[in-house]
Amino acid sequence: PVPHFRVKPGGRYKEFRIKRPVLLNKFIIHFSREFRVIYHFICVKLLADMVKVLGYNRYLLKRAMKILDETTIYPIAYLMKNKQYDYEALSFDVIPKINAVSRMEGAMNDNHLVRYLCDNTPECHRYLSKIEEINKTRKDLSTQMSALALRLAKEDENIITVSSDVFKEGLCGLIANRLMNDLGKPVIVLSETDGLLKGSGRAPKGGDLHAYLMNVSSLFLSYGGHAQAVGLSMDKNNYAQLKQYIHICNSVECLWLY
């Protein structure tokens, strides 16, 4: 995809569609320091989406890391607590904290997070304590809900499906991922609210959970994802049919998983 940047030089917004890495370099060199900090969004975006770091994505990520090393990006530096910039630090110290704000819906006005990320001055620090607090709450709840999910899981099943009104929708993916790593099996975790089930599924490498559930996609109100991760919502009344379909897989050897 062609990168699309929106900057505000001289008080007016102007758009740039960059078609080649070499052209992108010219823009970065030509424009001010404020334009250069846009690159940290590229870096975080690529790592957060867990896209394959190949070709153009690889070029953008390497370029972004170089600029992070050369330029003080206060919102990123504060979240990293001034650690050395590298892919691991961004993946484990920065991205989870940013994601926590959206996962913990209602804990913080999303506009405050936007202001924090866009304010490349020391003053952005005023939002940091709240972001750190939300992330700590997210980790504590994830641990508690993962323990509950493990108790609800039937470990003899080939595909594990659990649902509860205790689960927080924004944490279902994290819970499913933790159980998948612990049990080595595909896991679907659903949160129940007002007669609707919403959640996420995770599968080990080598399987295709997305293709498997596509066979019953008519049961879902929304559905999407890829081989190892899916997101879905459905009417609670359709849950029994989903469980029945999964039971078929649990009664036979599912070669598609591995």
Side-chain angles (χ1 to χ4, degrees):
V2 176
H4 185 193
F5 302 102
R6 204 162 176 257
V7 298
K8 190 180 181 183
R12 296 182 62 188
Y13 283 105
K14 187 172 183 179
E15 296 184 351
F16 300 96
R17 292 185 179 276
I18 313 303
K19 295 185 178 179
R20 298 193 188 98
V22 63
L23 185 58
L24 187 56
N25 277 331
K26 289 180 180 178
F27 272 115
I28 295 300
I29 293 170
H30 178 71
F31 284 97
S32 64
R33 175 189 172 98
E34 284 70 26
F35 182 77
R36 288 168 62 90
V37 304
I38 293 175
Y39 246 122
H40 78 272
F41 290 115
I42 299 173
C43 190
V44 169
K45 174 68 173 174
L46 288 172
L47 290 173
D49 279 354
M50 300 181 69
V51 297
K52 292 183 179 180
V53 185
L54 301 171
Y56 196 61
N57 284 338
R58 182 179 179 81
Y59 170 83
L60 288 174
L61 196 54
K62 288 177 67 175
R63 180 63 180 164
M65 290 301 295
K66 186 174 188 300
I67 288 182
L68 284 174
D69 282 334
E70 296 172 348
T71 310
T72 300
I73 311 297
Y74 289 102
I76 302 298
Y78 286 146
L79 290 174
M80 291 179 62
K81 298 182 178 178
N82 295 314
K83 293 182 181 177
Q84 178 68 34
Y85 283 114
D86 57 39
Y87 300 135
E88 184 175 344
L90 287 171
S91 298
F92 293 99
D93 292 317
V94 174
I95 292 170
K97 295 174 183 178
I98 294 174
N99 284 342
V101 175
S102 60
R103 293 183 188 280
M104 302 297 292
E105 186 178 359
M108 179 181 184
N109 188 318
D110 290 345
N111 290 326
H112 291 168
L113 177 63
V114 173
R115 292 189 186 101
Y116 173 80
L117 293 172
C118 294
D119 182 8
N120 190 34
T121 67
E123 283 68 36
C124 72
H125 191 275
R126 64 187 182 277
Y127 297 112
L128 183 64
S129 60
K130 185 62 176 178
I131 294 173
E132 296 278 9
E133 177 188 335
I134 292 171
N135 187 53
K136 183 180 184 305
T137 301
R138 187 269 307 169
K139 290 194 288 187
D140 292 343
L141 285 177
S142 294
T143 299
Q144 296 170 17
M145 294 180 183
S146 294
L148 172 60
L150 188 58
R151 292 196 298 271
L152 295 175
K154 296 181 180 179
E155 297 185 29
D156 58 336
E157 295 181 339
N158 291 324
I159 301 179
I160 294 170
T161 308
V162 294
S163 68
S164 172
D165 57 3
V166 175
F167 297 144
K168 193 171 182 65
E169 180 187 342
L171 300 180
C172 286
L174 298 178
I175 299 168
N177 192 67
R178 184 174 295 189
L179 260 66
M180 180 203 71
N181 289 330
D182 289 345
L183 304 176
K185 299 178 180 181
V187 177
I188 300 170
V189 178
L190 300 172
S191 170
E192 179 183 342
T193 306
D194 297 328
L196 292 178
L197 296 175
K198 297 181 180 180
S200 302
R202 298 291 185 269
K205 290 183 179 180
D208 194 336
L209 184 59
H210 183 266
Y212 178 74
L213 293 179
M214 185 62 74
N215 295 326
V216 287
S217 59
S218 60
L219 298 176
F220 308 140
L221 298 173
S222 61
Y223 180 61
H226 53 81
Q228 272 73 60
V230 300
L232 61 91
S233 65
M234 64 188 303
D235 191 296
K236 183 181 178 181
N237 294 327
N238 292 334
Y239 185 57
Q241 296 180 63
L242 175 63
K243 291 285 288 184
Q244 184 178 13
Y245 173 72
I246 292 175
H247 178 71
I248 297 173
C249 180
N250 289 328
S251 62
V252 297
E253 184 177 4
C254 294
L255 298 179
W256 67 272
L257 290 175
Y258 311 103

